Amino acid sequence: MIYSGGRAYVAIPGPSVVPDQVLQAMHRPAPNIYAGEVVELTESLIPDLKRVARTEGDVAIYICNGHGTWEAALANTVAPGERVLLPVTGLFGHGWARLAENLGIETQVLDFGRNATADPAQIVDVLKSDAKHEIKAILLTHVDTSTSVLTDVKAICDEIDALGHPALVMSDCIASFGCDRFEMDDWGVDVTITASQKGLMTPPGLGFVFFSPKATAARDRLARVSSYWDWKPRVAPDLFYQYFAGTAPTHHLYGLRAALDMIHEEGVEKVWDRHEKLARAIWAACEAWGQNGALRLNISDPTYRSRAVTTLKLNSPDATRLRQWVEQNTGVTLGIGLGMDTQDDPNGDGVFRIGHMGHMNAQMVMGVLGSIEAGLAALGIDHKPGGVSAAAKVLGQPG
């Protein structure tokens, strides 16, 4: 018997669930893009985006995905032939490095593997050896969506500040924005990038680059910046179209307005608290299943686990078997083991991910966990029953 009828639930780490309020806001005729409502709406987005990033700096909006924001951040700050340092904690850090190389930027990679966070001491050691200050930027991944590693951006910024190295600090917050705590100004981040399709609960298509006065100065020293990626006209447009270097992404803007209204109605701090609680419930379930069983969390230390995505391991090919069973029998789609392939597991069939970002509540999490527990039992995958009960206990605790 198949029980997957009804509304399917895609529990992958982005694109995340789009709330009904966002869908309804987007379901409207095309507006005038030269004057009136959409112009005023766009101007209202700027301060509310900055409130989520916790910055008084500027923000540029791009019609792109997260990869586009990688390029925008670099195009405005680093010239070809200059050098950047990348402390890499998974697939997406390597992706940012490849993009930088394609722009003619020299990259220095510190690879921390797939199940460890970036070590501030090792980063400082590299910067200490850079006496001529040839490293122009440090490119951090706050949360790598493939490994679910959370990087302690504040600790790294504190060490760099104490050292006095002038490099810009950039943070990829595509997976973490609006999910894991992030304080751009207080932590000392110069460039923050994110996109619309995860914690911001809006369909893919918008990218955001937040930047400090220090990053603005880096932009001003460059001889040229491509007209599309240049953030300068986007933050001080003479005409509305300059916000987007062309036609505005009208319906995405209406959706984003609704999403930001939801975030600020709940309160950013409470949004972070909600993600924290739901993540801990998921971890409790996984730890319970993994007692004397095959399932294990990719990140052993909870301090360095994302509150937006959890990467899990089973014996190959059981993760793929589990994903397929859960989708076919319960209507829940889990994330693939993206970028987690090994020589022994070339297709990543021993890894799956749970996305728990954005428009999430307790009943959604419990539905995902119940589906996984049913799949583990149905497939005879070695585990200890009781994961759902362990999650319920966490959710039943006050606070």
Side-chain angles (χ1 to χ4, degrees):
M1 181 75 69
I2 302 298
Y3 301 103
S4 58
R7 188 169 185 172
Y9 177 35
V10 181
I12 64 175
S16 65
V17 175
V18 180
D20 289 341
Q21 297 96 310
V22 174
L23 293 172
Q24 291 161 6
M26 297 177 73
H27 189 70
R28 52 163 297 136
N32 179 6
I33 60 169
Y34 300 104
E37 182 182 78
V38 76
V39 177
E40 297 167 2
L41 179 145
T42 300
E43 292 170 350
S44 77
L45 297 173
I46 304 302
D48 284 347
L49 284 165
K50 289 161 63 174
R51 287 170 64 193
V52 182
R54 309 290 266 237
T55 183
E56 296 297 322
D58 289 311
V59 58
I61 306 174
Y62 294 88
I63 304 172
C64 69
N65 57 21
H67 290 66
T69 64
W70 285 345
E71 183 159 348
L74 292 172
N76 283 279
T77 55
V78 184
E82 294 183 333
R83 182 151 54 108
V84 296
L85 175 65
L86 290 106
V88 172
T89 56
L91 176 71
F92 290 91
H94 287 296
W96 204 357
R98 286 192 298 273
L99 186 143
E101 290 167 356
N102 289 337
L103 293 175
I105 296 168
E106 181 184 341
T107 60
Q108 183 173 350
V109 172
L110 273 178
D111 192 346
F112 292 95
R114 297 175 177 176
N115 55 10
T117 192
D119 180 7
Q122 291 188 46
I123 295 169
V124 167
D125 285 344
V126 173
L127 296 178
K128 284 180 178 178
S129 66
D130 181 34
K132 295 182 179 179
H133 295 163
E134 293 176 345
I135 295 173
K136 301 302 179 185
I138 297 109
L139 280 52
L140 304 172
T141 306
H142 189 211
V143 167
D144 193 290
T145 324
S146 63
T147 60
S148 72
V149 176
L150 175 71
T151 292
D152 191 341
V153 173
K154 182 182 186 302
I156 293 170
C157 287
D158 288 346
E159 293 287 348
I160 294 170
D161 185 57
L163 182 64
H165 195 287
L168 297 170
V169 177
M170 301 188 187
S171 183
D172 173 344
C173 293
I174 295 165
S176 61
F177 197 75
C179 304
D180 289 278
R181 176 175 288 275
F182 183 80
E183 307 265 8
M184 179 174 172
D185 288 358
D186 284 352
W187 293 0
V189 177
D190 298 299
V191 178
T192 299
I193 64 172
T194 193
S196 56
Q197 74 271 19
K198 297 182 188 280
L200 287 175
M201 306 179 290
T202 305
L206 295 180
F208 310 93
V209 180
F210 302 83
F211 54 98
S212 69
K214 183 178 175 181
T216 299
R219 157 65 186 85
D220 291 342
R221 73 176 175 81
L222 296 180
R224 64 184 62 84
V225 177
S226 70
S227 58
Y228 186 79
W229 295 120
D230 192 356
W231 64 35
K232 208 167 186 176
R234 291 173 181 265
V235 299
D238 295 318
L239 298 170
F240 178 65
Y241 83 90
Q242 291 175 307
Y243 273 120
F244 311 103
T247 304
T250 52
H251 290 67
H252 274 74
L253 298 176
Y254 283 106
L256 179 62
R257 179 65 272 166
L260 287 171
D261 287 344
M262 293 175 66
I263 290 171
H264 292 304
E265 181 178 352
E266 184 176 357
V268 176
E269 292 275 356
K270 290 184 178 179
V271 170
W272 290 336
D273 290 344
R274 171 167 53 84
H275 280 84
E276 174 83 22
K277 186 81 167 205
L278 296 178
R280 291 193 176 278
I282 290 169
W283 304 341
C286 296
E287 288 164 350
W289 290 326
Q291 293 180 36
N292 303 319
L295 189 141
R296 54 208 181 275
L297 287 141
N298 185 49
I299 311 302
S300 58
D301 186 343
T303 306
Y304 302 115
R305 294 176 190 160
S306 169
R307 277 64 176 165
V309 52
T310 296
T311 301
L312 296 154
K313 296 179 178 178
L314 285 167
N315 297 326
S316 180
D318 283 346
T320 294
R321 292 177 62 227
L322 178 66
R323 285 193 304 101
Q324 292 171 344
W325 189 95
V326 167
E327 184 169 8
Q328 293 166 4
N329 290 274
T330 74
V332 172
T333 301
L334 301 170
I336 64 172
L338 184 66
M340 295 294 284
D341 53 289
T342 64
Q343 187 173 358
D344 294 333
D345 183 15
N347 297 315
D349 290 323
V351 182
F352 71 99
R353 295 172 299 156
I354 304 171
H356 38 98
M357 51 178 61
H359 190 54
M360 290 285 296
N361 61 26
Q363 63 95 357
M364 296 162 81
V365 165
M366 293 299 284
V368 171
L369 297 176
S371 297
I372 292 172
E373 188 160 294
L376 291 169
L379 295 172
I381 295 173
D382 187 26
H383 72 288
K384 183 175 181 179
V388 172
S389 296
K393 186 175 294 186
V394 171
L395 293 174
Q397 294 170 354

